[in-house]
Amino acid sequence: MIRVNNNFEELPAVYLFTQISRILAKYKEEKDALPLIRMDIGDIPGPLPSSVARAMHEAVEELTTQESFKGYGPEQGYAFLRNVIAEKDYGERNLPIDPSEIFISDGAKCDLGNLGDILAKDSTVAVMDPSYPAYVDDSVIDGRAGKLVGNKYSGITYLKCQSEKNFCPELPEERVDIIYICSPNNPTGSVLPYEELEKLVKYAKENKSLIIFDSAYEAYIRTPNLPKSIYEVSGAKEVAIEIRSFSKTGGFTGIRCGYTVVPKEIVGYYNDNTPITLNTLWNRRQTTKFNGASYISQKGAAALYTEEGRKEVREMTDRFLKNAGMLREMFEEAGWKVTGGVDSPYVWVGNPYGWTSYETFEKLLKECGVSTTPGSGFGEEGEGYIRLSGFNSLENTEKAIDRLRKILKQS
Ligand code: MLT
């Protein structure tokens, strides 16, 4: 008998975005379906920045000669990329992160799940509610979530994020081991100000908790003085791992490359109280289970730090922010509750009619051919909301706005 991981029994049968894709595939077969405009999953419409494309072509060329061919690379990532990240993403902001604390990955989502390997199986978990569904699903798969009771897992602490508090999370009332924080937030689009991060770091230090800080959308922050990294808070290096991605900054959703910072100051303990740094454990885990991101994708990612690459990142993120801003304005004019779309590519909207998330999702899909993500898929507190993404062409965004405006007027 093949015995399987029982924890899967506690998971919803399909992942949120898989479920939405299935609904959309059915919609497209309907005879009066409008041409679909996808504003659900945050996928990049392209094109790839030229600096990245050139660097990747060059990397392929290098692989074609014996002298410059590359086989297995360092599991932690190539020094050329780790060094430039340390210098530009952190050094330029006076944040002392050593290249040996940076681990290149094949994307933020993989590392979010893989980090569970180095933490005790019975660790307790807190997530923001609403939050990116992978935090909860990963915790379920690892056996940290307990039983599903209604819409919630018995072993997870849900940190309510409500509009009155600009979607900042409440602190856990009791001690938890792991706290997932995402800022700029997916899905609400809100950014945690410095004081909020400071409170979280203080809590983590007092309670000896670990913060897993998902900073995949930091390149979208435009408002001055909003923190882009948790390490802007003093002492955060003792309690926080930071995860970043090139998906939403360089169009790497298909190429796959990101990185995780595991500071050497974070110390964990075995059952017999022997201390060990999480950096050592993560390195051990990666060398066993990962052979490094591809040389080609790492060369492409390094190009994002050149002068040309940085300009292209700015242009790309500006483009998606503009789309998100237009969506935001349209919903605001119609009297819907809106956040995001300013320092975030996501717009989070609550309808004023008491419709559920799925009712709104279905209405916008059927009547406008615009797909969104139902807010309740991100947690109980997301009920009544939908999320729209600015990752689209300007033309598609304008077309979607035209269609949406008509039905917003009628409602
Ligand atoms: C989303 O739509 O929430 C993201 O694209 C998902 C992801 O980054 O994996």
Side-chain angles (χ1 to χ4, degrees), residues 227-238:
K228 289 176 160 243
S229 164
I230 187 132
Y231 303 125
E232 291 178 37
V233 177
S234 127
K237 276 191 86 186
E238 291 157 44

Side-chain angles (χ1 to χ4, degrees), residues 64-139:
T64 62
T65 71
Q66 194 134 41
E67 297 71 50
S68 52
F69 175 75
K70 306 270 180 306
Y72 291 127
E75 295 90 345
Q76 305 79 0
Y78 282 95
F80 65 77
L81 184 54
R82 298 172 91 195
N83 290 342
V84 78
I85 291 171
E87 181 197 331
K88 308 267 185 193
D89 283 349
Y90 295 103
E92 283 184 3
R93 302 177 68 82
N94 291 324
L95 304 173
I97 299 292
D98 190 79
S100 60
E101 297 175 305
I102 296 167
F103 294 81
I104 310 301
S105 69
D106 55 353
K109 190 180 182 182
C110 313
D111 273 8
L112 278 167
N114 294 335
L115 276 168
D117 280 1
I118 65 166
L119 301 166
K121 285 289 167 222
D122 57 356
S123 302
T124 50
V125 172
V127 297
M128 297 166 80
D129 183 7
S131 71
Y132 178 46
Y135 312 142
V136 170
D137 285 12
D138 290 338
S139 305

Side-chain angles (χ1 to χ4, degrees), residues 334-351:
W336 291 40
K337 260 191 299 185
V338 192
T339 46
V342 178
D343 294 300
S344 158
Y346 294 123
V347 183
W348 181 244
V349 279
N351 72 82

Side-chain angles (χ1 to χ4, degrees), residues 109-306:
K109 190 180 182 182
C110 313
D111 273 8
L112 278 167
N114 294 335
L115 276 168
D117 280 1
I118 65 166
L119 301 166
K121 285 289 167 222
D122 57 356
S123 302
T124 50
V125 172
V127 297
M128 297 166 80
D129 183 7
S131 71
Y132 178 46
Y135 312 142
V136 170
D137 285 12
D138 290 338
S139 305
V140 176
I141 291 171
D142 282 352
R144 297 195 178 96
K147 295 271 169 218
L148 187 59
V149 184
N151 294 329
K152 293 189 167 180
Y153 288 94
S154 58
I156 291 192
T157 302
Y158 294 85
L159 310 176
K160 269 191 192 174
C161 302
Q162 293 176 315
S163 61
E164 307 79 62
K165 293 191 179 152
N166 201 21
F167 297 100
C168 293
E170 287 172 351
L171 287 178
E173 277 168 16
E174 66 289 331
R175 188 189 167 271
V176 289
D177 294 305
I178 307 167
I179 311 170
Y180 289 92
I181 297 292
C182 178
S183 177
N185 187 263
N186 177 11
T188 65
S190 64
V191 185
L192 296 182
Y194 185 83
E195 313 76 68
E196 292 295 322
L197 290 188
E198 207 174 27
K199 275 191 227 163
L200 283 160
V201 169
K202 185 165 178 274
Y203 171 93
K205 286 178 99 169
E206 284 171 2
N207 289 280
K208 305 204 181 316
S209 315
L210 174 70
I211 296 172
I212 298 184
F213 189 71
D214 180 352
S215 169
Y217 300 94
E218 57 78 29
Y220 288 84
I221 296 179
R222 294 289 182 272
T223 305
N225 301 327
L226 282 176
K228 289 176 160 243
S229 164
I230 187 132
Y231 303 125
E232 291 178 37
V233 177
S234 127
K237 276 191 86 186
E238 291 157 44
V239 290
I241 287 176
E242 179 160 292
I243 300 188
R244 289 198 182 180
S245 160
F246 298 112
S247 289
K248 314 293 159 71
T249 56
F252 275 55
T253 46
I255 294 167
R256 309 304 305 150
C257 197
Y259 68 87
T260 293
V261 181
V262 188
K264 291 188 177 152
E265 285 91 329
I266 313 178
V267 179
Y269 295 86
Y270 288 111
N271 279 344
D272 63 3
N273 290 334
T274 307
I276 177 94
T277 71
L278 266 53
N279 183 285
T280 308
L281 285 187
W282 184 242
N283 190 53
R284 184 71 182 83
R285 189 259 171 219
Q286 292 297 81
T287 48
T288 304
K289 290 198 179 181
F290 188 51
N291 264 335
S294 86
Y295 178 66
I296 302 166
S297 61
Q298 292 190 60
K299 274 293 195 185
L304 293 170
Y305 292 92
T306 59

